[in-house]
Each structure stands twice: as C-alpha cells, then as structure tokens.
Amino acid sequence: MEELALLGGKPVLPESLPPYRSVGRAEREAALRVLDSGCLSGFYGSWCEEFHGGPRVRELEAAWRARFGVRYALSVNSATSGLIAAMGAIGVEPGDEVIVPPWTMSATVVAPLFYGGIPVFADIESDTFCLDVEKVRTAIGPRTRAILAVDLFGHPARLAELRKLADERGIYLVEDAAQAPLAEEDGRLAGTIGHVGVYSLNHHKHIHCGEGGILVTDDDRLAERLALLRNHAESVVGPKGTEDITNLVGFNFRLTELSAAVATVQLARIDEHVGRRVKVAETMRAALVDLEGLRPPVVREGCRHVYYVWALSIDARELGVSRDAFCRALAAEGFPHNAGYVNPLYRLPLFQRRTAFGKKGHPFHLSNVEYGRTDCPVVERLQAESLVMFEPCAYELTRERVGRLVRAVHKVHALRDRIPKGERPK
Ligand SMILES: *Cc1c(COP(=O)(O)O)cnc(C)c1O
C-alpha cells in the first residue's frame, strides 16, 4: 500500500511545476517595433492630441473596447492606479463611505483612502467568496458613495443585483475585475456591469504586460474624468479644455507604448489564455467533486468562472482532519497551494489604528466607522479553517501534470486517517 509523502512515501509530484510563460515571439516582436520607433511613451502632459497617449496605447484601448463591448477603455499603469482613479472619477469626498469586501488584494480597500474615503467592510458569500448582497444592503448608510465589488478568484460577484441596489440608492458600483477578465454573469462580462470596471495587466494575471491596468465605462462623464486623472488633470488642462475640472488633482497613471504593445498581443489571445485555465480548473473540479469533506469551486448559475484562483473549501468535521493538517500532507506530495488567502483586510494596521496618513488619524477622524479584529464571520472561518487555494494561472500545466495534481488530492484524501493530528478539527 502507498504511503503518504508526509510519512516517508513517494510524492505524487516529485518535481516542482514549471511556471507558466504566456509571452512569446509575438510579444517580443511587438516590443522591438516600439523600441525601433524610438517612442517609448506617447503621452504629453498638456491639452493636445497626445494628452490621450501614443499610437500603441490607443490601439490597445480600441481593441479592449471591441473585445469587452464597452464605449470607453482607458489604459493605466496598474489596476491599483485604476482603482484610485475610479474613486476620484466618481467623486469620493473626505468622509464618504465605500463598501468593500474583506477578502481581496489590499489595493481594493486602500483605494478610497486617497480621497479621504472610508472603507466599510461587508462579509462575503461562503461559496463564491464575493460580496453578500444582504450584508451590503445593511451597510449602506447616508454617507455611502459607492460599492466596490471584487470578482474574487475569477468568479463574478452578484453584479446585476449590486448594480440595481446601487442605482436604487443613487450610489456607484465600481468593479474590481482584476482577477476576472472574461468572467460572465448571465452573458454579461464582469467589469462591464458596474459604472466603472478595472482590470489588471500585472505579471500574475490572466494576461499581462508586466504592469498595467484597464478602466472601462460606458459613461461619457466618468470616462472624461478618468482620462484627466490619468494625466495630471487640472494642473495641465485649462478651463477651455473641458467644462468643470475642479477637484480633479491628477496623477501620472500613464501606460508606456512598450507595455501597451505587449498587452495588445496578449489581448488578441485572451480567449486562449483564459480558456486554458478554465479547462484545467474544470478538469480538477470534475475529478474531485465527489470527495467527502472537500468542496471544489462553486459556479453560480448563469456565471462563467475564470479561475484566477482555484479554491477548495474544506469541511474539517466531515473530512475528519483539519484544513492545516490536510495541507501539510498535500504539500508533501508536491501540490503547490496555500492554506487560506489573505488575512481579512480590516486587520491591517491602518484600519486597526484608524490612521492612514499623518499622525492625526486621517481620514478616519472624519468618520465613526470602527474596525474590529473579527468583523466578518464568514471570511474569518474560511481563512482560519476552510479555504485552500491553488493558482492555475501560475504554472505550465500539461494533462499529465493536472492528472498528478488530482492524484495527489485523492491520495491524501484516501489516507487522511494517517495524517498526524497536529490539531483536532473544531
Ligand atoms: C492584482 C489585483 C489588483 C492590483 O492589480 P495591479 O495591476 O497589480 O495594481 C487589484 N485588485 C485585485 C483583486 C487584484 O487581484
């Protein structure tokens, strides 16, 4: 009989998985053409045609508009920049509240702070890990300016419902779709259902150009404000350039021509890049769905999940061993994963100490919102004892390697009674 690698047996994956490399010859050629042109960025920080970027930036934006079916797509140098610009474009004012989930990349919840906005955390659904609409509804108050929803792990949040709620209350829905290009809810693309959507082109995302981001909107006024914020705004645009630019202090969030050229090549193959992860994820799901105590990713009806993260939820009582003990055995088999995602973000020191800028508690002194250490019970439980994450984006996964990943889980599951009980399941 086979033995667990944890107890000296042979690991199912003796070699580490090679990293996935999505850039190839076409990206190299595109980058070289830009280098040969001598123009590595086409932006000018003054109100002229080049205010909106160079030829490669515009080409990328046109291709993004076409693929995502939106009226406006604006490139930025990161999704983090995009989120900050979105907060500025919708007019977050000091003391305004923005409802956010506690499980996301920190950039989501930090973005409102730059405008003095106060993040208010709402708990998530235990199966899709995205915002719970009822929790959002009760979190809305007189000072709420926006809901900042995250399509976490590549699964769309309840976007249509959140948009309806936002419209009813006269607030904005901003979508952080950094992890979810081509995810869908009822045939509509994640990122395009809110008033503004943000995608990431950083090295770890489905498609990338090193660093970069894309903002999308169908709203003329928001698009103009985003374009201004990206490129120094009121400091360089006189009153004749645009109508009202008060309260638009700008940034340099501009994407280079080099990055844009690479991103355009990646975008042309986005269906392939995304499709390959979906296939891996679905194969793994189908092979593991019947194992007692383990729950592979759930896809809500009418949705397309694009699996930035492939998340396994563990029911430790049903399984008979704790998540962490199971993970130790899985790691020994060579299955790369993480026990839990990030600590719920309200635990960040800036929230716990209620000070983001300076020593006087800015911007929290403008608000009565408090942050505990265990504010959202669903996310607390998932992080402490249930979630296991695997990143199908990160590895070059052949059919053979996917087979081994699946076998590793089956093996640990079958032999789980032998795992030394470091801790008892609660
Ligand atoms: C990656 C990520 C970001 C930040 O993207 P950058 O392009 O690196 O700034 C923001 N939100 C989420 C949910 C992300 O996964």
Side-chain angles (χ1 to χ4, degrees):
M1 178 75 178
E2 237 185 343
E3 183 53 278
L4 289 168
L6 187 68
L7 303 176
K10 208 164 139 269
V12 181
L13 292 115
E15 280 151 32
S16 54
L17 296 171
Y20 177 58
R21 196 190 142 95
S22 70
V23 294
R25 184 180 300 164
E27 284 83 355
R28 179 191 145 86
E29 282 166 8
L32 286 174
R33 276 196 298 276
V34 174
L35 281 173
D36 288 343
S37 78
C39 173
L40 308 194
S41 174
F43 277 100
Y44 274 58
S46 62
W47 191 241
C48 58
E49 203 186 322
E50 290 81 10
F51 182 81
H52 297 286
R56 298 289 81 81
V57 157
R58 291 174 202 211
E59 182 182 40
L60 169 63
E61 293 175 349
W64 203 282
R65 285 197 298 274
R67 181 63 187 83
F68 285 77
V70 286
R71 291 188 57 211
Y72 299 98
L74 291 108
S75 60
V76 278
N77 57 5
S78 70
T80 301
S81 303
L83 289 164
I84 294 168
M87 295 297 104
I90 64 171
V92 170
E93 297 206 8
D96 281 356
E97 294 171 7
V98 178
I99 297 171
V100 295
W103 241 11
T104 174
M105 200 245 149
S106 60
T108 321
V109 305
V110 168
L113 296 171
F114 294 99
Y115 284 91
I118 310 292
V120 171
F121 291 92
D123 211 345
I124 57 175
E125 300 180 331
S126 60
D127 52 356
T128 67
F129 318 122
C130 296
L131 277 174
D132 179 325
V133 178
E134 287 317 308
K135 300 283 165 50
V136 172
R137 198 186 301 280
T138 50
I140 295 178
R143 305 191 75 178
T144 306
R145 167 72 55 164
I147 302 163
L148 180 34
V150 179
D151 302 314
L152 197 74
F153 299 163
H155 191 289
R158 292 189 181 266
L159 298 169
E161 273 183 75
L162 289 169
R163 176 65 196 250
K164 184 161 168 279
L165 179 59
D167 288 341
E168 278 166 12
R169 302 295 180 95
I171 61 177
Y172 288 96
L173 173 63
V174 176
E175 258 188 88
D176 180 342
Q179 304 184 354
L182 302 195
E184 287 178 17
E185 183 187 58
D186 296 324
R188 298 166 75 196
L189 288 170
T192 69
I193 298 169
H195 296 85
V196 182
V198 185
Y199 302 93
S200 172
L201 295 169
N202 93 20
H203 179 73
H204 304 283
K205 299 299 172 15
H206 290 77
I207 62 166
H208 78 98
C209 59
E211 305 286 353
I214 303 280
L215 285 153
V216 295
T217 183
D218 283 335
D219 184 299
D220 299 337
R221 193 182 129 271
L222 290 177
E224 183 180 56
R225 289 171 65 87
L226 291 168
L228 287 164
L229 286 166
R230 166 173 74 177
N231 193 4
H232 304 292
E234 67 171 65
S235 315
V236 298
V237 177
K240 53 189 164 334
T242 177
E243 273 167 25
D244 181 11
I245 52 167
T246 41
N247 289 157
L248 279 177
V249 178
F251 302 89
N252 174 353
F253 285 161
R254 309 176 311 198
L255 192 67
T256 68
E257 289 287 280
L258 268 174
S259 300
V262 171
T264 302
V265 176
Q266 291 262 299
L267 176 60
R269 292 178 54 193
I270 189 171
D271 291 270
E272 203 181 310
H273 289 302
V274 171
R276 131 184 200 287
R277 280 133 169 143
V278 171
K279 196 156 161 249
V280 166
E282 285 176 352
T283 304
M284 290 175 62
R285 180 192 149 73
L288 300 171
V289 74
D290 293 329
L291 297 185
E292 188 189 9
L294 303 186
R295 191 167 62 168
V298 167
V299 184
R300 187 156 53 79
E301 203 186 324
C303 289
R304 181 189 195 209
H305 192 327
V306 293
Y307 300 100
Y308 177 68
V309 164
W310 189 90
L312 192 65
S313 306
I314 290 191
D315 182 331
R317 257 161 303 190
E318 204 180 307
L319 188 66
V321 294
S322 72
R323 187 264 319 261
D324 292 351
F326 192 83
C327 282
R328 273 199 304 279
L330 204 54
E333 300 299 336
F335 187 125
H337 68 278
N338 211 48
Y341 178 47
V342 294
N343 278 324
L345 289 165
Y346 42 77
R347 287 195 221 156
L348 287 177
L350 69 96
F351 294 117
Q352 293 294 314
R353 298 188 196 131
R354 295 182 93 251
T355 184
F357 300 101
K359 298 194 177 67
K360 300 192 184 94
H362 185 75
F364 302 100
H365 63 88
L366 302 167
S367 162
N368 297 322
V369 171
E370 297 278 350
Y371 304 95
R373 293 196 64 80
T374 56
D375 288 352
C376 297
V378 174
V379 86
E380 288 289 336
R381 188 185 55 75
L382 287 165
Q383 176 66 6
E385 57 189 66
S386 177
L387 189 108
V388 179
M389 62 175 265
F390 168 66
E391 293 173 86
C393 282
Y395 307 101
E396 188 63 62
L397 293 172
T398 57
R399 186 194 290 245
E400 195 266 342
R401 292 191 190 117
V402 174
R404 281 179 189 262
L405 289 168
V406 165
R407 246 184 298 142
V409 178
H410 274 281
K411 177 180 168 187
V412 171
H413 188 266
L415 302 178
R416 64 190 184 279
D417 290 345
R418 301 184 189 173
I419 301 172
K421 303 261 190 307
E423 59 267 81
R424 295 259 158 216
K426 285 182 217 111

